[in-house]
Amino acid sequence: MDSQRRTVASPPSSQGRDSTAILFTFLSFFVVVAMVLVPAASPSFQNTLSILHQVPEGHVGVYWRGGALLKTITEPGFHLKMPFLTQYEPVQVTLQTDQVTDIPCGTKGGVMINFEKIEVVNRLHKEFVFETLLNYGVGYDKTWIYDKIHHEINQFCSSHSLQQVYIDVFDQIDEKMKDALQVDCTRYAPGIEIISVRVTKPTIPNSIRRNFEQMEEERTKVLIAIEKQKVAEKEAETMKKMAISEAEKNANVSKILMEQKLLEKDSTRRQEEIENAMYLAREKSQADADFYRVIKEAEANTLKLTPEFLQLKFIEAIANNTKIFFGDKVPNMILDQRLLGNLLHEVSTGTTTIGKSDI
């Protein structure tokens, strides 16, 4: 039963073998052609033929199919696509510098000059890649940077003289170009950001350049003379400040010395006042003491003036007298001791009635 139900595979027909052979031959031919043509082909053609492709760092991958831009945006790394039908291009989304060279322009006075190189640092934001490439293609920077720089430089030169372009406002060209580019990019291509613009010195005719060099030499001489004058003025001002400082220092020293002398005089005056007060106090005390002594002596003498004391003093005075008188009138010199004692008592008390002529 099993042997009856078992189906036996029929050998392949000659038509199937022919189709397989044709397909194999076609694939072999395709591989050979790809191996021969791809290395020698242009990058865009290689991107068209390749199946596996790599998006470098700092870029994104954009794709076209049948000439139509696809919304597919790939990140850096390896990716697959359909050969022949899908075309791939890497687009840089980091900072990049575009160099615009040989830009001729005519100034307001009709002099032709040439800017040899202008560098524009810019960046395409990742979220605006599809919109920017859809409107302006992969060469968007040619439209909004290269061609725009030529236009703006010519506009600038036509409204300024050679003196202004070459010297006076040359330092402003960078910012003016940056602002002009960014205004139009913001309006028409918002994904493009202008970071900075660097403009090199333009090339001018040799005859005019020599005139500028001579003018610069003369200007340099004038600047040197002005600087020398400023240096001389600074030196004179410095000397003046030094003299003023020295005079102020001397004045301050004199003031300090004068104050010191005044303080010394004041101290001496106070010392003399103290000494005078001490002397007055001492003299007053001495006078008071003398007065007190005299009063006490007077009181003591008053107490001493007794008849007995006066008689004693009289006797002592007579005894101390070493003179001896001789003659007939000697008895007249002897007075009554009692009368003399009364007389001395009256004299001491101030009650005597006898004048000096009576004695």
Side-chain angles (χ1 to χ4, degrees):
M1 175 94 43
D2 295 335
S3 61
Q4 292 179 359
R5 294 179 179 177
R6 185 181 303 125
T7 58
V8 179
S10 59
S13 62
S14 60
Q15 184 177 0
R17 289 195 300 270
D18 294 341
S19 299
T20 303
I22 293 173
L23 180 60
F24 179 76
T25 303
F26 178 75
L27 290 176
S28 300
F29 177 75
F30 176 77
V31 171
V32 172
V33 171
M35 293 177 64
V36 173
L37 296 179
V38 170
S42 62
S44 60
F45 186 67
Q46 291 181 11
N47 292 336
T48 303
L49 294 179
S50 62
I51 298 176
L52 178 66
H53 62 282
Q54 180 185 9
V55 179
E57 189 64 44
H59 296 68
V60 294
V62 295
Y63 303 89
W64 289 262
R65 184 173 295 165
L69 179 65
L70 303 179
K71 292 185 178 181
T72 303
I73 305 294
T74 57
E75 298 293 333
F78 287 101
H79 302 277
L80 296 174
K81 71 177 185 62
M82 296 179 61
F84 293 104
L85 298 179
T86 304
Q87 183 183 0
Y88 147 78
E89 284 290 342
V91 177
Q92 186 174 354
V93 291
T94 56
L95 293 179
Q96 58 179 339
T97 302
D98 294 328
Q99 292 186 358
V100 187
T101 58
D102 296 330
I103 308 171
C105 67
T107 63
K108 186 177 181 180
V111 180
M112 291 299 298
I113 61 177
N114 184 68
F115 288 87
E116 295 182 357
K117 182 177 66 174
I118 297 178
E119 296 179 344
V120 181
V121 181
N122 62 93
R123 177 176 60 185
L124 176 62
H125 291 278
K126 187 184 299 184
E127 57 271 18
F128 290 94
V129 170
F130 176 78
E131 181 182 351
T132 303
L133 267 63
L134 181 64
N135 294 328
Y136 308 107
V138 179
Y140 65 89
D141 52 354
K142 182 180 185 304
T143 302
W144 293 112
I145 294 178
Y146 289 90
D147 295 344
K148 188 67 175 173
I149 281 291
H150 279 268
H151 173 73
E152 294 297 334
I153 284 294
N154 279 273
Q155 288 288 105
F156 181 81
C157 291
S158 63
S159 60
H160 294 81
S161 64
L162 179 62
Q163 173 74 20
Q164 293 174 327
V165 174
Y166 195 71
I167 296 177
D168 295 342
V169 296
F170 176 76
D171 58 335
Q172 305 175 14
I173 299 179
D174 297 347
E175 290 299 323
K176 290 183 178 295
M177 292 299 105
K178 176 181 178 297
D179 295 340
L181 292 177
Q182 189 62 66
V183 167
D184 286 343
C185 287
T186 302
R187 181 177 180 182
Y188 298 105
I192 304 174
E193 179 186 2
I194 306 300
I195 307 299
S196 64
V197 177
R198 296 187 292 268
V199 181
T200 58
K201 202 75 170 178
T203 302
I204 61 177
N206 292 332
S207 59
I208 300 177
R209 181 175 56 82
R210 285 194 295 270
N211 291 336
F212 274 110
E213 290 175 353
Q214 293 176 358
M215 291 173 57
E216 192 65 26
E217 289 179 0
E218 295 298 326
R219 185 180 292 107
T220 303
K221 292 179 181 179
V222 173
L223 292 176
I224 292 174
I226 293 174
E227 291 298 324
K228 288 182 178 179
Q229 182 179 358
K230 289 182 178 179
V231 170
E233 291 177 355
K234 288 292 183 182
E235 291 179 352
E237 185 178 356
T238 302
M239 295 297 293
K240 180 180 177 181
K241 289 182 177 179
M242 291 176 62
I244 293 174
S245 177
E246 186 69 21
E248 290 179 351
K249 184 185 72 173
N250 294 333
N252 291 332
V253 171
S254 300
K255 182 179 179 181
I256 293 172
L257 293 176
M258 183 62 67
E259 291 178 352
Q260 182 179 0
K261 290 181 179 179
L262 291 176
L263 291 175
E264 291 177 356
K265 292 292 184 181
D266 186 67
S267 177
T268 304
R269 179 180 61 80
R270 292 181 180 180
Q271 185 177 359
E272 290 178 352
E273 289 178 353
I274 294 172
E275 291 178 353
N276 293 335
M278 292 174 62
Y279 176 77
L280 290 175
R282 185 171 58 252
E283 292 296 323
K284 183 177 180 182
S285 299
Q286 185 66 33
D288 292 340
D290 291 342
F291 178 75
Y292 182 78
R293 180 177 56 80
V294 170
I295 293 298
K296 291 300 180 180
E297 288 180 352
E299 292 178 356
N301 290 334
T302 302
L303 295 175
K304 288 179 180 181
L305 292 177
T306 59
E308 293 79 3
F309 179 77
L310 293 176
Q311 186 178 4
L312 176 63
K313 289 297 181 182
F314 177 77
I315 296 171
E316 290 177 353
I318 294 298
N320 291 331
N321 190 2
T322 57
K323 293 181 180 181
I324 299 175
F325 297 91
F326 299 95
D328 296 334
K329 296 181 178 180
V330 173
N332 294 330
M333 296 180 59
I334 302 173
L335 300 176
D336 187 2
Q337 294 180 357
R338 184 177 298 175
L339 180 61
L340 181 60
N342 293 330
L343 179 61
L344 292 175
H345 178 71
E346 289 177 358
V347 170
S348 62
T349 57
T351 58
T352 180
T353 58
I354 301 176
K356 291 183 180 180
S357 59
D358 297 332
I359 299 177

